[in-house]
Amino acid sequence: MAAAARCLPLGASPLGPASPDIAKVPASIPSSSYAAAAVCPPLRAAVAPSSGRRLQSPPLRCSSSLSETPAAPELAVLLEVEGVIADVYRFGNRQAFNVAFQSLGLDCANWTEPIYADLVRKSRGDEERMLVLFFDRIGWPTSLPTSEKGSFIKSVLREKLKALEEFSASDSLPLRPGVEKFIDDAISEGVPVSILATYGRNGEKVSRFIIDKLGPERTSKIKIVGKEEVQVSLYGQLVLGKGVASSLDEQLVREAQKAASAEKQRIAEEVASILKLSVDIKASESSEKVITTLRAGSEYVGRDVQNCILVAGSQSGVLAAERIGMPCVVVRSR
């Protein structure tokens, strides 16, 4: 009964429901019960000596360690640009490819939404592979020698990027619905927001054009992390070796890492030659760049990696966040 008597409902009595005899203490109740109830201020069913009117009991104020909960961790939000701030893949890439085809005089090439979606699915988003699949299907330009297919693909991608940059700077590429309100809500709740502009597939220039669409008032309240910001961050300096005095030990570590990477590539090529495959472990280098950006982003918002939530629209962002233990929310494209 002592444990149960720690906190009592407002207006209740340790003797049970209120009754006309509340001021009377039955002799049958042990005195230890009142000792237990004394943990909280005792109820006073005060009776005025002259009038006999019952006065209202004061409200209970009980404090218990059981009711105290630990403070929630301070969180921050990191946002990717492509696929999150704007759906570049739906409203930018396909149209930019069509502009590139026209610029190069490829009138036979035009990507509708179904064609584009099919190419993305079959190539897993690799744009060079998308072009190869497409021209293998419809036929390559007749005047193009086989030995120049690689340079032709690169010229299409250059024109495509130029067109996408123009799209990004114009109203042709809208922001995703709700992204402005999401950022405003986070800021109003005191949650730091950082936008990662450095590792988008189409380059930082496109990302900066898209971020500008948020408006100067909003962007002045958030931290934008690009290549320069990554390099000058503490983590970026340690990893990239920018602006940090290198001791002999640090130089030896870097040389050992380079040697290990080269050895991995050599072994992979040997195995690939036996299996008649081609391999390239440059993808791991790209992953390291994304990880460096995520860690720099967490540094700029002043939160631990585990207390930052990445809102991602790319597979590279998701995989990098998983590697360093950063919670991640995926925004799916169409």
Side-chain angles (χ1 to χ4, degrees), residues 73-77 182-193 221-222 301-303 307:
E74 294 184 338
L75 302 178
V77 175
F182 177 82
I183 293 174
D184 291 342
D185 288 347
I187 293 172
S188 66
E189 292 290 338
V191 177
V193 177
K221 301 175 184 177
I222 59 185
V301 295
R303 300 289 186 267
N307 290 342

Side-chain angles (χ1 to χ4, degrees), residues 36 50 86 119-121 175 201 216 226 265 269 295-297 312-313 316 328:
S50 58
L119 291 171
V120 169
R121 182 170 57 253
L175 298 176
R201 178 183 297 175
Q265 182 70 37
E269 288 174 353
R295 290 192 179 278
S316 59
C328 181

Side-chain angles (χ1 to χ4, degrees), residues 49-128:
S50 58
S51 63
R53 276 187 313 148
R54 189 190 311 270
L55 301 180
Q56 195 70 11
S57 299
L60 287 176
R61 291 181 175 85
C62 300
S63 61
S64 171
S65 59
L66 297 177
S67 63
E68 295 175 1
T69 56
E74 294 184 338
L75 302 178
V77 175
L78 308 184
L79 302 174
E80 289 186 355
V81 177
E82 297 183 16
V84 176
I85 306 297
D87 194 348
V88 178
Y89 312 114
R90 179 183 179 190
F91 293 106
N93 276 2
R94 182 180 68 85
Q95 295 89 330
F97 269 114
N98 286 335
V99 171
F101 296 148
Q102 293 173 7
S103 300
L104 296 171
L106 302 171
D107 298 331
C108 60
N110 180 65
W111 288 358
T112 62
E113 284 198 20
I115 290 175
Y116 179 74
D118 182 60
L119 291 171
V120 169
R121 182 170 57 253
K122 290 180 178 178
S123 66
R124 297 185 179 181
D126 185 323
E127 294 185 341
E128 290 190 17

Side-chain angles (χ1 to χ4, degrees), residues 60-326:
L60 287 176
R61 291 181 175 85
C62 300
S63 61
S64 171
S65 59
L66 297 177
S67 63
E68 295 175 1
T69 56
E74 294 184 338
L75 302 178
V77 175
L78 308 184
L79 302 174
E80 289 186 355
V81 177
E82 297 183 16
V84 176
I85 306 297
D87 194 348
V88 178
Y89 312 114
R90 179 183 179 190
F91 293 106
N93 276 2
R94 182 180 68 85
Q95 295 89 330
F97 269 114
N98 286 335
V99 171
F101 296 148
Q102 293 173 7
S103 300
L104 296 171
L106 302 171
D107 298 331
C108 60
N110 180 65
W111 288 358
T112 62
E113 284 198 20
I115 290 175
Y116 179 74
D118 182 60
L119 291 171
V120 169
R121 182 170 57 253
K122 290 180 178 178
S123 66
R124 297 185 179 181
D126 185 323
E127 294 185 341
E128 290 190 17
R129 181 63 180 159
M130 288 170 64
L131 290 169
V132 171
L133 288 173
F134 178 71
F135 285 107
D136 280 347
R137 183 186 303 170
I138 71 165
W140 294 80
T142 54
S143 60
L144 181 69
T146 304
S147 60
E148 295 183 9
K149 286 183 178 180
S151 59
F152 168 74
I153 293 294
K154 286 180 172 55
S155 66
V156 174
L157 292 177
R158 280 195 300 270
E159 291 295 324
K160 176 258 178 181
L161 181 58
K162 188 188 303 182
L164 184 60
E165 289 174 353
E166 294 178 2
F167 268 119
S168 302
S170 70
D171 295 333
S172 301
L173 183 60
L175 298 176
R176 279 194 94 137
V179 67
E180 293 165 295
K181 185 178 185 304
F182 177 82
I183 293 174
D184 291 342
D185 288 347
I187 293 172
S188 66
E189 292 290 338
V191 177
V193 177
S194 179
I195 297 181
L196 310 177
T198 184
Y199 65 81
R201 178 183 297 175
N202 294 291
E204 186 169 336
K205 190 174 182 180
V206 170
S207 294
R208 295 278 183 176
F209 281 139
I210 295 172
I211 294 170
D212 287 344
K213 296 175 185 289
L214 294 170
E217 182 179 354
R218 188 174 287 109
T219 54
S220 66
K221 301 175 184 177
I222 59 185
K223 184 63 182 179
I224 300 170
V225 179
K227 182 178 180 180
E228 183 178 348
E229 287 76 15
V230 170
Q231 289 178 346
V232 300
S233 69
L234 178 59
Y235 187 83
Q237 291 182 60
L238 292 173
V239 172
L240 304 175
K242 305 288 185 180
V244 176
S246 299
S247 66
L248 178 60
D249 288 344
E250 290 173 341
Q251 293 178 25
L252 290 174
V253 168
R254 278 200 294 272
E255 290 301 320
Q257 290 174 340
K258 290 180 182 178
S261 179
E263 183 65 13
K264 286 180 183 178
Q265 182 70 37
R266 185 189 66 78
I267 295 172
E269 288 174 353
E270 287 183 0
V271 174
S273 65
I274 296 173
L275 300 177
K276 297 182 179 180
L277 299 173
S278 61
V279 297
D280 188 357
I281 55 177
K282 291 181 180 178
S284 62
E285 297 177 5
S286 175
S287 177
E288 291 301 326
K289 291 180 181 178
V290 179
I291 289 174
T292 304
T293 303
L294 296 184
R295 290 192 179 278
S298 68
E299 180 182 323
Y300 279 114
V301 295
R303 300 289 186 267
D304 293 336
V305 166
Q306 293 80 6
N307 290 342
C308 293
I309 300 173
L310 174 66
V311 183
S314 70
Q315 185 181 22
S316 59
V318 174
L319 294 176
E322 184 179 34
R323 280 185 58 183
I324 63 175
M326 179 180 288

